[in-house]
């Protein structure tokens, strides 16, 4: 692991994790700087020692720090009006991308150097810091998706001699960090399709591009679709027959009831849930389908199905508040609103299958007769120490409970596939291309 530069350690105060509560507000007005405190302490100790021991020569030890304090006195008036301007770019980004925050200080009087102290938000990492005259530039990396507070900067402004300082607090605000979508190109479609134009061929005849056969000419048909080989063989005019194209309504349902950490890798099930769902959303939007999203947890959030590449960002932002400074809660469940699940829409449920309450949500979906696919986000087994019989028995029960949940879903006719973190989602969805996706019954 590379060693972090000393400038970053100083700015962070040795703390790398986000605090549970905001830092204490800095004191107002001017106060002694670090150099003044050091020299003043040495001089005070020397004078106290001379008075206690009666040795006058000890006063000479106080002369040097007092002289340095005299030389550090400001040459001009100290700033009284301090104003800061903050520019954070970009405010929306993907995981792993850089975020730059520039703080510009304007003031009256004469100011010396700037010394920023930073309290990081929970979803970012400080990579670099540059301080110049009247300006501080900080570079962060967005580590996890969510709507995060970038952090708080306590900017110490010293006078021209460095003897006194004044602190100005600057709030860097929030950024929206989008997940990096899992690679996927498979877009399974339900058996029944709504009557909207799109790119999926249906069993009905219509104005599509996929040829399904030929049929005799009927008055009113377009003659440019004449199939000349069939016309020659049969001796009468034959036209090409095309399959109608329909758009698929799809809904992605996210299980945010719990965030399970893989004991081996430390990976978050909530992270992988959102990344896999984002990859599926992009795959369907590329085929001009209509897709919506529902997140189920302490608060049920939903967005009706829509289409277009720009709709991807609307879908992502609609669920970013699930992880807003790790402040999501799972206090209860509400019934899914009817507009969130259009009739006959294919529903993908992304879940780690660790919370029994998700079965109640799946029952709601099945009661509306929507085609349903459960995408299980695989999580590692809990760690068990060798020889611990109680822990081994608990692990067996944990595995049996998960197997029982999968069996219950399969017995109800629900398609269950497993997505392994780090793999393309196509591997999990490929079996759906060889089977019918069924729904529940009303």
């Amino acid at each position: 692991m590379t060693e972090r530069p000393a400038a970053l350690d100083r700015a962070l105060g040795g703390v790398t994790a986000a605090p549970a509560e905001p830092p204490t507000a800095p004191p107002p007005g001017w106060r002694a700087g670090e150099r003044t405190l050091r020299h003043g302490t040495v001089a005070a100790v020397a004078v106290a020692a001379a008075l206690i021991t009666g040795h006058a020569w000890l006063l000479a030890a106080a002369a040097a720090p007092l002289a340095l304090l005299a030389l550090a006195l400001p040459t001009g008036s100290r700033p009284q009006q301090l104003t800061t301007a903050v520019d954070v770019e970009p405010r929306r980004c993907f995981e792993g991308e850089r975020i730059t925050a520039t703080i510009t200080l304007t003031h009256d009087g004469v100011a010396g150097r700037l010394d920023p102290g930073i309290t990081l938000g929970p979803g970012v990492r400080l990579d670099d810091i540059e301080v110049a005259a009247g300006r501080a530039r900080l570079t962060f990396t967005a580590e996890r998706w969510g709507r995060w507070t970038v952090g708080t900067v306590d900017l110490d402004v010293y006078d021209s001699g460095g003897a006194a300082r004044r602190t100005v607090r600057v709030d860097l605000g929030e950024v929206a960090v989008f997940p990096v979508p899992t690679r996927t190109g498979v877009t399974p479609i339900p058996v029944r399709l709504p009557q909207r134009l799109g790119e999926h061929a249906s069993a009905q005849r219509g104005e599509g591009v996929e040829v399904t056969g030929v049929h005799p000419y009927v008055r009113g048909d377009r003659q440019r679709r004449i199939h000349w080989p069939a016309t020659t063989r049969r001796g009468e005019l034959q036209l090409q027959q095309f399959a109608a194209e329909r758009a698929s309504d799809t809904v992605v349902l996210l299980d945010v009831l719990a965030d399970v950490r893989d004991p081996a890798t430390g990976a978050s099930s909530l992270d992988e849930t959102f990344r896999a769902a984002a990859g599926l959303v992009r795959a369907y939007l590329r085929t001009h389908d209509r897709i919506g999203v529902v997140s189920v947890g302490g608060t049920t959030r939903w967005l009706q199905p829509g289409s277009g590449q720009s709709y991807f960002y609307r879908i992502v932002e609609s669920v970013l508040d699930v992880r807003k400074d790790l402040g999501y809660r799972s206090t209860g469940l509400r019934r899914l609103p009817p507009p969130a699940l259009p009739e006959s829409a294919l529903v993908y449920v992304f879940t780690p299958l660790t919370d029994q309450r998700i079965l109640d949500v799946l029952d709601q979906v099945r009661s509306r007769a929507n085609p349903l696919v459960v995408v299980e986000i695989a999580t590692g087994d809990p760690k068990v120490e060798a020889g611990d019989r109680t822990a081994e028995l608990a692990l067996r029960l944990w595995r049996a409970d998960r197997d029982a949940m999968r069996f219950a879903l399969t017995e109800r006719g629900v398609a269950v596939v497993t997505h392994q973190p780090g793999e393309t989602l196509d591997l999990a969805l490929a079996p759906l291309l060889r089977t019918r996706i069924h729904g529940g019954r009303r």
Side-chain angles (χ1 to χ4, degrees):
M1 180 182 295
T2 59
E3 186 176 353
R4 192 170 54 201
L8 297 186
D9 277 332
R10 175 178 173 80
L12 293 171
V15 179
T16 57
E21 296 181 358
T24 305
W30 290 92
R31 63 191 188 277
E34 297 173 355
R35 183 184 305 175
T36 302
L37 292 175
R38 288 196 302 268
H39 295 334
T41 300
V42 173
V45 170
V47 171
L51 294 175
I52 293 173
T53 62
H55 298 299
W57 61 267
L58 289 175
L59 294 175
L66 290 176
L68 293 174
L69 286 176
L71 293 175
L73 294 176
T75 56
S77 60
R78 289 171 177 164
Q80 300 301 322
Q81 300 293 331
L82 300 176
T83 305
T84 57
V86 182
D87 181 24
V88 178
E89 289 292 337
R91 287 289 184 181
R92 300 195 307 173
C93 63
F94 284 89
E95 292 174 304
E97 292 186 348
R98 294 291 184 92
I99 302 171
T100 302
T102 303
I103 304 173
T104 305
L105 176 69
T106 56
H107 56 83
D108 57 356
V110 181
R113 67 185 180 91
L114 304 180
D115 186 17
I118 303 164
T119 303
L120 285 177
V124 296
R125 182 187 71 238
L126 180 63
D127 292 331
D128 190 23
I129 180 170
E130 299 176 5
V131 180
R135 183 179 65 86
R137 186 172 183 269
L138 297 87
T139 303
F140 304 88
T141 295
E143 292 190 304
R144 303 172 66 190
W145 69 265
R147 197 180 301 279
W148 301 115
T149 300
V150 180
T152 303
V153 178
D154 287 333
L155 191 63
D156 287 342
V157 183
Y158 288 82
D159 60 17
S160 57
R165 61 175 174 168
R166 184 176 177 181
T167 304
V168 181
R169 170 157 291 186
V170 181
D171 188 1
L172 300 181
E174 287 187 347
V175 292
V177 181
F178 299 150
V180 176
T182 300
R183 290 182 301 144
T184 181
V186 175
T187 54
I189 58 175
V191 177
R192 292 179 296 171
L193 294 170
Q195 299 296 319
R196 298 187 181 93
L197 293 178
E199 293 189 350
H200 295 298
S202 74
Q204 302 174 356
R205 292 172 53 183
E207 298 296 325
V209 296
E210 183 174 332
V211 178
T212 60
V214 295
H215 67 276
Y217 172 77
V218 179
R219 185 179 181 85
D221 285 342
R222 297 181 180 181
Q223 296 184 7
R224 65 179 182 177
R225 293 189 171 182
I226 296 176
H227 191 270
W228 291 109
T231 299
T232 303
R233 288 195 306 270
R234 300 184 180 183
E236 59 178 341
L237 205 56
Q238 301 288 321
L239 274 68
Q240 291 177 328
Q241 178 177 303
F242 294 85
E245 289 185 346
R246 301 288 184 262
S248 167
D249 272 13
T250 308
V251 174
V252 172
L253 194 150
L254 305 177
D255 174 7
V256 297
L257 294 169
D259 188 3
V260 182
R261 292 282 179 175
D262 191 308
T265 64
S268 163
S269 66
L270 192 58
D271 282 346
E272 193 59 37
T273 293
F274 207 8
R275 289 169 187 153
L280 188 70
V281 167
R282 274 198 163 175
Y284 272 95
L285 290 177
R286 280 197 300 264
T287 57
H288 304 289
D289 289 320
R290 293 161 48 85
I291 190 163
V293 66
V294 180
S295 60
V296 178
T299 301
T300 301
R301 299 175 175 87
W302 58 280
L303 189 65
Q304 283 186 313
S307 60
Q309 289 300 322
S310 62
Y311 205 68
F312 171 78
Y313 297 98
R314 287 191 59 189
I315 289 176
V316 172
E317 288 198 349
S318 70
V319 293
L320 279 184
D321 286 338
V322 168
R323 177 182 282 162
K324 183 175 181 179
D325 288 0
L326 302 177
Y328 56 89
R329 287 178 170 80
S330 303
T331 55
L333 293 177
R334 297 165 53 189
R335 292 198 62 82
L336 300 178
L341 298 178
E343 184 179 358
S344 300
L346 173 59
V347 179
Y348 287 93
V349 180
F350 288 84
T351 172
L353 286 181
T354 56
D355 196 312
Q356 293 283 345
R357 291 176 294 176
I358 194 62
L359 297 180
D360 298 333
V361 178
L362 297 178
D363 285 339
Q364 292 186 45
V365 178
R366 292 185 69 253
S367 67
R368 303 182 187 187
N370 289 91
L372 179 62
V373 176
V374 173
V375 181
E376 179 189 0
I377 304 299
T379 57
D381 293 341
K383 291 184 178 179
V384 175
E385 295 183 1
D388 190 342
R389 298 297 300 274
T390 303
E392 292 176 355
L393 179 60
L395 179 59
R396 291 179 59 186
L397 292 175
W398 184 80
R399 290 173 175 170
D401 182 67
R402 293 175 64 85
D403 290 339
M405 292 181 69
R406 298 188 192 99
F407 178 78
L409 293 174
T410 304
E411 284 295 298
R412 297 176 188 178
V414 177
V416 180
V417 297
T418 302
H419 170 59
Q420 297 292 339
E423 295 183 354
T424 175
L425 195 58
D426 290 345
L427 295 177
L429 299 182
L432 301 179
L433 299 178
R434 303 191 302 269
T435 184
R436 292 172 63 90
I437 303 175
H438 301 281
R441 297 180 180 179
R442 294 184 181 275

